[in-house]
Amino acid sequence: ISGVPVSGCNICYAKNNDTLRTVYLKFFKETPLSFYDNPSNFKLNYFDLRWRNTCNSACVYCGPKDSSLWAEELGMATPVNTGQLDRLKEFIEPRLSELQEVYLAGGEPLLIKENEWFLEKLLNQNPNCRLLINSNLSQINNNIFKLITKFKNVRWLVSGESMNEQYEYIRYGSKWEKFIEIGRAHV
């Protein structure tokens, strides 16, 4: 690459990341580096949205960062930064029509109240946006679930590995019979 890398590239250059440089050279060599300095050259096509860690399970492979139940069990609960949530809303709201796909995770996205605000806005402005929801499906009798079902293209990643006692061990706080009951009601 000739010239000086833009500031956004400094992390990879500092790590001497040859793989990313190779990708850049292969796919973007015709694009001048100055292109990446201007945010108006980009649209927000994909968004991985995790407002907070609200979750009703404490899975063995998870932790307090992604599960409020884990945080509570470990005495590591942290207050929600509402100012940060407001800034995220301010950032994403004018870009809703640009989105092609949104990944909702958490915590448990069906329990995260900001998802209701987000899905109402997205449904109004961009009902064709693809949704990928990572959920334990324990909370389907709420407005968040109802809003999700109004979208045309929704994919679910259902956290429900194992069965019976193993399910309850892996997904501390969850009950196998309740999971089966929800499944039977919606198949």
Side-chain angles (χ1 to χ4, degrees):
I1 299 175
S2 62
V4 177
V6 295
S7 61
C9 297
N10 289 341
I11 293 171
C12 293
Y13 274 91
K15 291 181 179 181
N16 195 20
N17 193 328
D18 290 328
T19 303
L20 288 176
R21 245 185 275 159
T22 302
V23 168
Y24 173 81
L25 288 172
K26 182 176 181 183
F27 296 106
F28 304 110
K29 64 183 176 186
E30 303 299 320
T31 305
L33 288 174
S34 59
F35 175 83
Y36 300 101
D37 279 333
N38 186 351
S40 66
N41 289 332
F42 300 93
K43 288 186 177 180
L44 185 63
N45 293 317
Y46 175 83
F47 207 66
D48 181 334
L49 190 53
R50 302 168 194 237
W51 298 94
R52 56 177 74 212
N53 68 345
T54 304
C55 191
N56 56 338
S57 295
C59 302
V60 296
Y61 51 77
C62 198
K65 179 180 173 278
D66 294 316
S67 166
S68 58
L69 184 55
W70 256 123
E72 181 182 319
E73 290 285 324
L74 296 172
M76 298 175 66
T78 54
V80 174
N81 183 335
T82 55
Q84 186 175 357
L85 294 177
D86 290 342
R87 286 190 300 281
L88 182 55
K89 286 179 179 181
E90 289 171 13
F91 170 79
I92 197 166
E93 190 168 8
R95 295 166 175 84
L96 291 171
S97 63
E98 300 173 7
L99 291 169
Q100 293 177 14
E101 183 169 9
V102 175
Y103 176 58
L104 294 179
E108 170 52 48
L110 299 177
L111 288 174
I112 299 172
K113 63 182 179 178
E114 288 80 11
N115 281 335
E116 184 172 354
W117 170 88
F118 172 75
L119 290 166
E120 285 173 350
K121 299 276 185 187
L122 186 63
L123 188 60
N124 249 354
Q125 293 186 37
N126 190 353
N128 294 319
C129 183
R130 291 184 308 272
L131 298 179
L132 177 58
I133 314 294
N134 190 338
S135 171
N136 62 30
L137 287 182
S138 64
Q139 305 294 318
I140 61 170
N141 294 320
N142 64 33
N143 201 37
I144 296 169
F145 184 81
K146 289 174 189 163
L147 284 165
I148 291 169
T149 63
K150 293 179 181 182
F151 284 84
K152 297 175 183 178
N153 189 347
V154 180
R155 293 175 295 147
W156 293 89
L157 295 172
V158 179
S159 299
E161 63 285 298
S162 202
M163 296 172 22
N164 299 313
E165 297 86 21
Q166 292 87 5
Y167 172 88
E168 293 177 6
Y169 171 78
I170 291 170
R171 308 195 64 70
Y172 173 78
S174 298
K175 297 294 179 199
W176 172 248
E177 285 305 317
K178 183 175 180 184
F179 183 73
I180 292 299
E181 180 184 314
I182 290 169
R184 285 184 184 130
H186 289 87
V187 173

